[in-house]
Amino acid sequence: MKPCRWKAPVCNGNQWSLSTQLSQFSYSFLKIAKREAINIKELHVISTGQQTSETLVSIVTKIHRYIDYLHLRESEWSDQDLVQTIENLSASGVPMEKLIVNHRVDVANQTGVHGVQLTYRSMEVAKVKSAFPELKVGCSVHTVSEATHLARHGADFIVYGHIFETASKIVLEPKGVGSLQHVARQVSIPVIAIGGITPRNVQEVMAHGASGVAILSGILLAKDPLKAAQEYRYALTKSEVVM
């Protein structure tokens, strides 16, 4: 029996190099992984830092059925303030798996919430994943290089922006949907878009590769937070996710 000899695939009469084949394989793998990652339409709500714990709990109790996650981003609150708010949210019927704590890994771990959102001031994502493997870890990013680096080191999802003009970042140029699409194509984890997103532009954002949107004042500071949450949910439901 003659030994089986592998032959390189032929394309237009020329043999592909091994590096070309590996590159094609990596690209195909990334596309498959990305397709799985973006087959979601998540609505993340981020606390504004402008409301009391009581007000926040009251609003979230009404809207939690329409949102996927609530990020507690309150830099002025003590650890005890955060813990008490989490306990009050849970007692009001908000599932713990919908809660994400910003920056404070210890509080996230001790309270048993879904995850933690890391910032540039936080512990490295690889160390968090190693120490607390049960926590889902998100990371806030503003560049493609940050996104790819954090995805390689264990981030479960990234929040990227700001996509459109927003009152909270008047002096900074928005990233735009083109930049969002570029980031989404470079990583296999969900990319959550943030910044200036309204129900009217949700479909445009999702069409450029986002796996969801993150909203602050658009819901929590709206005249009718419940109606606002429903409008965002409806916009997400009818949107199409495109790679």
Side-chain angles (χ1 to χ4, degrees):
M1 181 181 294
K2 293 182 179 180
C4 179
R5 297 182 182 276
W6 177 83
K7 293 183 179 181
V10 176
C11 180
N12 295 326
N14 297 316
Q15 290 188 333
W16 288 355
S17 67
L18 179 59
S19 61
T20 300
Q21 294 174 64
L22 290 174
S23 175
Q24 290 289 332
F25 174 78
S26 298
Y27 178 71
S28 298
F29 178 80
L30 182 61
K31 285 190 70 177
I32 292 170
K34 184 61 185 174
R35 190 177 297 114
E36 293 175 350
I38 65 173
N39 192 28
I40 50 178
K41 300 176 181 181
E42 293 180 347
L43 178 53
H44 293 235
V45 173
I46 302 178
S47 65
T48 64
Q50 301 177 45
Q51 295 167 308
T52 65
S53 173
E54 292 75 20
T55 299
L56 182 63
V57 170
S58 174
I59 293 173
V60 176
T61 300
K62 298 172 185 174
I63 70 171
H64 76 85
R65 293 175 182 82
Y66 298 95
I67 73 175
D68 294 290
Y69 298 105
L70 170 70
H71 295 236
L72 292 167
R73 188 173 75 175
E74 299 292 336
S75 58
E76 299 301 317
W77 288 6
S78 67
D79 287 354
Q80 186 53 49
D81 290 334
L82 268 176
V83 171
Q84 188 62 60
T85 300
I86 291 168
E87 290 176 350
N88 291 342
L89 285 166
S90 180
S92 299
V94 180
M96 293 290 277
E97 57 266 24
K98 287 194 173 187
L99 302 181
I100 294 174
V101 172
N102 188 269
H103 179 58
R104 301 188 218 184
V105 181
D106 52 345
V107 173
N109 179 60
Q110 289 299 315
T111 54
V113 297
H114 177 76
V116 62
Q117 178 73 16
L118 303 181
T119 71
Y120 71 94
R121 299 183 297 117
S122 305
M123 189 188 306
E124 292 176 8
V125 62
K127 291 181 179 177
V128 175
K129 292 297 291 184
S130 176
F132 310 104
E134 70 284 356
L135 282 179
K136 291 296 183 183
V137 180
C139 295
S140 300
V141 302
H142 302 91
T143 66
V144 175
S145 58
E146 284 179 337
T148 54
H149 172 80
L150 293 167
R152 282 197 308 269
H153 286 80
D156 294 297
F157 65 92
I158 57 176
V159 176
Y160 177 75
H162 59 294
I163 306 302
F164 302 110
E165 290 184 3
T166 173
S168 62
K169 298 184 186 294
I170 334 178
V171 296
L172 297 175
E173 189 76 18
K175 302 293 184 181
V177 291
S179 176
L180 167 66
Q181 186 173 59
H182 184 49
V183 169
R185 286 177 171 174
Q186 299 304 309
V187 298
S188 61
I189 59 175
V191 178
I192 308 302
I194 190 172
I197 298 172
T198 69
R200 290 185 178 182
N201 59 33
V202 162
Q203 291 189 63
E204 181 184 8
V205 169
M206 299 301 288
H208 284 80
S211 294
V213 297
I215 311 298
L216 289 83
S217 58
I219 290 179
L220 292 178
L221 296 182
K223 289 183 179 178
D224 187 341
L226 177 58
K227 181 181 178 183
Q230 290 171 332
E231 289 175 347
Y232 276 101
R233 173 53 65 194
Y234 177 72
L236 279 168
T237 301
K238 67 178 185 177
S239 65
E240 292 186 11
V241 181
V242 180
M243 285 178 55

